[in-house]
Amino acid sequence: MSFELTIIIPVYNEEDNLNRVQQEMKQFLSIAKKKTKILFVNDGSKDNSQALIEKICKDTDEFTFISFEKNAGLSAAIKAGFDYTNTPWVGYIDADLQTAPEDFNILMEFTGEYDLVTGVRSNRKDSFTKNMSSTIANGIRRAFTHDGMDDTGCPLKIIRTDMAKRIPMFNGLHRFLPAMILLQNGKIKQTPVRHFPRVAGVSKFNLWNRLLGPLQDCFAYLWMKKKYINYSVAKQG
């Protein structure tokens, strides 16, 4: 049986989380509703992440990796994951495991009808400042995109791979994945998933890149929407 889903795990200085990632992802592989493999994307980590990733991939056939020469950011890591995926579906989850791999099975229930399914973090276990800044950022983004999504920052999504590969990524566009699927006339869905406190490592985001960065990205999205090329081939000879 061939693989149906690739789960991308972007990694930047997450050495304290990777052993837990291996354990929880292996457990998920045994219960996944689609046959699944894992793709680590090491975004230029400066700690011991790469050595741990290589050991994990050597120990388990379903785990593979690519490693950047230097840090390029989350959007680049997700874009690279899309580029290196060869399964019908692609998803991603953060290495901090504040969302549960098992909840991919919740998202998979909707893949018969939708092209992107994203989680919405219920009862978020983050600080007041982080929650408030995310709420404001999501409100700003919805006003620009009208995508109807409440939590595009949720690090638990699955997307039809052929549509993911057509997304013209730029820095910050990981927040606009549902909107970019809508530009392709795709169908999107959000559904509640669990959320947990971070138990190791540190967050890579601050007030600037949660609020002001997304606001700048909204204007880039509007430019892209105006220029976006979308076509459908009716016949080929």
Side-chain angles (χ1 to χ4, degrees):
M1 181 179 178
S2 58
F3 291 102
E4 299 174 88
L5 170 66
T6 299
I7 295 177
I8 302 163
I9 305 181
V11 175
Y12 181 62
N13 295 342
E14 292 284 3
E15 62 180 2
D16 294 332
N17 279 312
L18 286 173
N19 287 331
R20 188 165 67 97
V21 168
Q22 179 187 22
Q23 295 169 5
E24 295 203 18
M25 295 308 299
K26 282 183 68 175
Q27 181 178 352
F28 169 69
L29 292 178
S30 67
I31 63 169
K33 292 183 177 180
K34 294 182 184 294
K35 188 170 174 57
T36 301
K37 60 181 178 179
I38 310 302
L39 175 61
F40 289 108
V41 182
N42 183 10
D43 183 20
S45 295
K46 296 178 174 62
D47 61 0
N48 198 42
S49 291
Q50 181 60 30
L52 290 171
I53 288 171
E54 291 185 23
K55 181 180 184 303
I56 291 169
C57 294
K58 183 178 180 181
D59 291 344
T60 310
D61 291 340
E62 292 87 353
F63 287 72
T64 58
F65 75 88
I66 57 176
S67 182
F68 289 174
E69 291 184 0
K70 60 182 180 179
N71 178 248
L74 180 57
S75 290
I78 294 172
K79 166 63 172 168
F82 292 168
D83 290 343
Y84 280 80
T85 290
N86 58 6
T87 53
W89 289 88
V90 60
Y92 74 88
I93 188 172
D94 279 354
D96 59 21
L97 292 183
Q98 286 193 257
T99 49
E102 293 87 351
D103 286 353
F104 275 112
N105 280 338
I106 298 175
L107 305 187
M108 290 181 202
E109 294 177 6
F110 301 99
T111 55
E113 184 178 356
Y114 296 93
D115 303 298
L116 174 146
V117 188
T118 181
V120 178
R121 291 167 287 189
S122 57
N123 193 21
R124 284 186 63 175
K125 308 297 183 182
D126 288 323
S127 68
F128 173 82
T129 300
K130 186 174 181 179
N131 285 337
M132 183 57 65
S133 61
S134 293
T135 299
I136 295 171
N138 273 299
I140 294 171
R141 179 197 44 73
R142 276 198 308 273
F144 278 79
T145 65
H146 306 289
D147 61 10
M149 298 288 102
D150 297 315
D151 185 16
T152 59
C154 178
L156 199 74
K157 291 178 174 64
I158 57 174
I159 311 171
R160 196 176 298 277
T161 300
D162 59 346
M163 301 185 84
K165 287 180 180 290
R166 290 198 293 267
I167 296 174
M169 294 289 278
F170 60 84
N171 283 334
L173 194 63
H174 63 274
R175 304 180 183 94
F176 294 83
L177 295 178
M180 296 306 298
I181 296 301
L182 289 178
L183 285 186
Q184 298 181 45
N185 298 319
K187 297 179 68 176
I188 62 177
K189 169 77 174 179
Q190 61 181 1
T191 188
V193 296
R194 294 170 291 170
H195 191 247
F196 305 92
R198 176 184 270 271
V199 300
V202 296
S203 173
K204 311 306 185 297
F205 294 91
N206 52 44
L207 187 61
W208 167 263
N209 53 33
R210 285 198 193 98
L211 283 181
L212 299 182
L215 179 59
Q216 293 175 325
D217 295 338
C218 284
F219 291 102
Y221 166 79
L222 289 181
W223 178 88
M224 183 177 296
K225 181 179 180 180
K226 183 178 180 180
K227 302 291 185 179
Y228 191 77
I229 295 173
N230 197 19
Y231 67 88
S232 178
V233 175
K235 190 178 292 187
Q236 182 178 5

